[in-house]
Every structure is written in structure tokens, then in C-alpha cells.
Amino acid sequence: MTEPVSSQSLVIDNIGLLVTNDPALGRGPLGIVSNASVVIVDGKVASVGPAGAVADQCIDADQACVLPGFVDSHTHLVFAGDRSEEFTARMAGSPYDGGGIRTTTYATRNTPTDELDRLVRLRLLEAHRAGTTTIEIKSGYGLNVADEARSLQIAKAHTPESTFLGAHLLPAEFEGRSDDYIHLVCGEMLHAAAPNAKWVDAFCETGAFDVDQCQAVLDAGRAAGLGLRLHGNQLGHGPGVQLAVECGCASVDHCTYLTDHDIAALAGSDTVATFLPAADFSTRQPYPDARRVIDAGVTVALASNCNPGSSYTTSISFCIALAVRDMHMTIDEAIQAVTVGGAAALRRDDVGRLTPGSAGHAVILDAPTYHHLAYRPGVPLIRHTIGPLGT
Ligand code: NIG
């Protein structure tokens, strides 16, 4: 069940355990308050206090746990088609190399815009039901000027966090001419995409684009006024993390293979390391060593990476369970990574927390504590998502 935020005041009352992410409001880094209420006015948190606050409208949390809405900082929701056969083959031993991006590009190019938009809406509804209230959406399955531009029109209609990923994979028609394709991405394609994009991204990986090509895309995106993000170190060690840090990217995403040098570079920067454990799950990659990264002082985020190839899930709860079980993050760290961590990856300070002035985006669990998100994997524990998706 979902609740819109009205222009009137709303109180979430009778909260057993509230995560604010504001240490000034409560215990520890999560700013935990027991027996609490949150008042939301015009979509923003007006106050956090003891249970019993009064407002025009009341949602009784019935002693359940309440968290900030999840911030999913990495998705590829604009796509058509299905790659379940590729997944099935992978489970039988075929490796993942990203080549299936071309399959999705073919399907996406051949799908009418209104149908693509309908598919994105369905995925957003699914994500919202699963507790996500802020979401980033990339292009990257158009890979020509017209289809990248329309992918971004669709993305921008649903979220301010839209990302131009023309440098996702070399399209078949440019085989053997990757520099020509990068020239197109940095010129005509960027020009068509930029009006509907906030960010630019590139896939820096063997089999995708090399460090010079990715640097060219980031430089061109910056010159066009876009913020920078990068896919890096997903399928093996490589220069992605170093490039992201040197360029001042807001986030470098995947980070499955990191050297000590990569971790030191991240620790000395304000680039967020975004882990995508559902992709490592679905591609049978090892999980990143998040413990080592967090202990070095790096800011980390966890995101779904929803896409039809490497990670067909919108479930942030699933990512939390993987991060705790297989990446050795504490449950508190995982909760931070899907709220304030995701917000940091998007350079936002208005979401991912429940503190006066922040967005009134909240999740009411069907559980007394947030620990259940890892303790009860696969169980739909999101009772209410409060706040619209796409702000
Ligand atoms: O983030 N790594 C590149 N892009 C996606 C995969 C896309 C696909 O396989 O379709 C990712 O995992």
C-alpha cells in the first residue's frame, strides 16, 4: 500500500523505532528514536518528536519501525525485452561479459515510446512498493542519437536524477570503430541528450570502453554542464576507480575488484563507492570487500542496478540482505548505504534522512526493527511507502 504526501499535514505516529539518520535527534549514527512521531507538512519533515503528535491526517505505525525512503542511485529502467535465457545460461556456467547489452539495445530501439514509458512506470511502481522514494535512471540501451535522446526524455519525466550513458557498450553498427562511436557520443549524441540529463556516465571495463575513451566522455559531459558518474571495476581490476577519483565523479559504481591503491584513492576523495550486490549475485561475480572499504573511511552506497541483464531487481531489501550476509557490512551500515549513502552518491542532502527540512519520504516496515530487512530475506516487509517517487 502507498500513501501520497498531501499538501496538508500528516503525522506518522506511534512509531516503535525511528531511523532519522540525524545523530542530533537520536542514538548513534542512525539517529534512532524510540516511541516517536514524524510530522510532514507540504512534503517536508516539520518535526520529529515523541509519539502523540497531531496533524490533519494520521498514519498509525502501530509500533513498527520507520526509516527514510530508500535512495536507489543506480538503475537502468529504460529498456524493453527479456534476457532470462541469458540468465539461465549463466546459471549453467556461461560467464557474464556485458555483451547482452546489444540484445536489449535491439529490443529497446524497436519499442514505441509510449510502450517504453509504460514499462518504466511499471518498474517505478514496483520500486516504490519496495520502499524506494528517490531513484536515478540511466539511458544506455539506445546507443544512437535518437534512441538515447528519447530514453532520457522518458527518464527525465519520472526523476530529476537522469543519466546519459551513451558510452554503455559499442553498438553493432560501430564494430571496429570505437573511437568513431565515442566521437558521436561526445558530440551529437551528448547535444541531443543533455537537455534531459543531470549526469553523464560511462562503462570503463575491458570489452566496453577504455580509460581514454571514458575520460573523453566525462570531459565532454562536464563541459555540457552535467555531473559525473562512472561504471568501473565490475568484471576485473582496472583503471575505473582511479579515473573516477581524478575526474571528481560523484560516484563510481560496482567496485567489485579493488586494489589497496583504489581504496586509498577513494578514501582521499569525495567520490562515493557504490556497490551493486544484486549484480554480483546474478552474474556470479565475487562480492566486493565492503568491510575493507568502509574501514578505510570511504563513503559507500548500495543500489539495485535494476536492468534486464545483470540485475533484474528493484528490491533494495534484497541488496541489504546481500550486503550484510556476503559483503560483511553491519546492518546499520547497510541501512545508511541505502539512504544517506545513496543520497551522497547523488550529491543530495535533502533525501535519505528524516530530520526537519528534509523530504518527507518514509518507509513503514512490517517489522519492529530494521534488522529484519536482513534477518528475513525475501519477505515483503514494506508496509507503507510515504512520499512520491521521482523527487
Ligand atoms: O551496471 N555494467 C554495465 N551495465 C549494466 C549491465 C547492463 C546489461 O547487462 O544489460 C550494469 O551491470
Side-chain angles (χ1 to χ4, degrees):
M1 180 173 170
T2 59
E3 292 287 340
V5 172
S6 80
S7 58
Q8 293 185 308
S9 61
L10 166 73
V11 61
I12 311 170
D13 197 14
N14 198 16
I15 300 169
L17 197 76
L18 172 67
V19 174
T20 65
N21 279 330
D22 183 348
L25 290 177
R27 302 187 296 278
L30 293 181
I32 292 171
V33 187
S34 301
N35 294 314
S37 65
V38 177
V39 176
I40 298 167
V41 178
D42 291 334
K44 288 191 173 171
V45 175
S47 63
V48 173
V54 175
D56 300 324
Q57 202 191 337
C58 177
I59 298 176
D60 186 344
D62 197 20
Q63 284 297 296
C65 179
V66 172
L67 310 168
F70 300 140
V71 180
D72 190 348
S73 61
H74 184 133
T75 81
H76 304 251
L77 293 192
V78 189
F79 67 84
D82 178 282
R83 281 161 56 197
S84 52
E85 280 182 18
E86 177 190 318
F87 175 78
T88 305
R90 204 152 62 232
M91 294 305 104
S94 300
Y96 175 84
D97 64 3
I101 292 169
R102 281 187 181 172
T103 306
T104 303
T105 299
Y106 180 80
T108 304
R109 286 178 179 177
N110 288 292
T111 297
T113 304
D114 55 355
E115 173 61 5
L116 264 186
D117 186 64
R118 190 185 71 84
L119 293 169
V120 171
R121 281 176 199 274
L122 288 175
R123 292 166 193 142
L124 287 169
L125 192 60
E126 182 183 284
H128 191 253
R129 284 196 184 118
T132 295
T133 48
T134 300
I135 198 161
E136 183 262 14
I137 303 179
K138 301 177 198 300
S139 66
Y141 293 117
L143 306 187
N144 61 31
V145 173
D147 289 303
E148 282 297 302
R150 80 177 175 132
S151 295
L152 282 157
Q153 273 164 14
I154 294 169
K156 180 70 186 298
H158 298 291
T159 180
E161 306 298 341
S162 55
T163 300
F164 170 46
L165 182 58
H168 196 189
L169 199 80
L170 190 67
E173 63 272 23
F174 275 83
E175 195 60 58
R177 297 187 297 126
S178 65
D179 283 341
D180 291 347
Y181 180 66
I182 289 296
H183 185 74
L184 178 70
V185 169
C186 294
E188 196 186 341
M189 198 184 287
L190 174 63
H191 185 73
N196 288 308
K198 176 173 175 185
W199 303 96
V200 66
D201 194 346
F203 186 15
C204 187
E205 196 79 43
T206 304
F209 298 101
D210 69 24
V211 69
D212 293 335
Q213 293 169 328
C214 292
Q215 167 103 58
V217 171
L218 295 179
D219 288 347
R222 190 202 321 264
L226 305 186
L228 312 183
R229 350 184 38 81
L230 194 69
H231 284 64
N233 303 55
Q234 175 184 4
L235 303 174
H237 290 289
V241 165
Q242 300 292 334
L243 176 65
V245 168
E246 280 160 26
C247 290
C249 288
S251 176
V252 56
D253 297 33
H254 284 288
C255 294
T256 302
Y257 293 88
L258 297 179
T259 63
D260 289 346
H261 190 46
D262 293 329
I263 294 173
L266 285 164
S269 77
D270 62 358
T271 299
V272 173
T274 299
F275 297 122
L276 309 169
D280 303 313
F281 172 88
S282 169
T283 59
R284 289 225 160 110
Q285 290 287 316
Y287 291 99
D289 186 352
R291 187 72 275 128
R292 205 158 55 108
V293 178
I294 293 170
D295 290 346
V298 178
T299 302
V300 304
L302 284 167
S304 74
N305 189 16
C306 182
N307 76 76
S310 69
S311 184
Y312 201 175
T313 182
T314 52
S315 175
I316 290 292
S317 300
F318 178 54
C319 299
I320 291 170
L322 290 178
V324 171
R325 164 65 176 76
D326 289 314
M327 293 163 55
H328 304 284
M329 289 172 71
T330 67
I331 300 178
D332 288 32
E333 287 166 346
I335 294 298
Q336 284 186 292
V338 299
T339 51
V340 276
L346 295 172
R347 299 253 158 105
R348 299 269 302 263
D349 58 12
D350 59 325
V351 293
R353 59 205 91 214
L354 288 168
T355 189
S358 69
H361 297 172
V363 168
I364 304 179
L365 300 184
D366 259 326
T369 80
Y370 54 86
H371 301 86
H372 282 225
L373 290 170
Y375 171 51
R376 304 192 68 210
V379 178
L381 293 177
I382 310 299
R383 187 194 300 167
H384 275 195
T385 304
I386 295 162
L389 183 53
T391 48

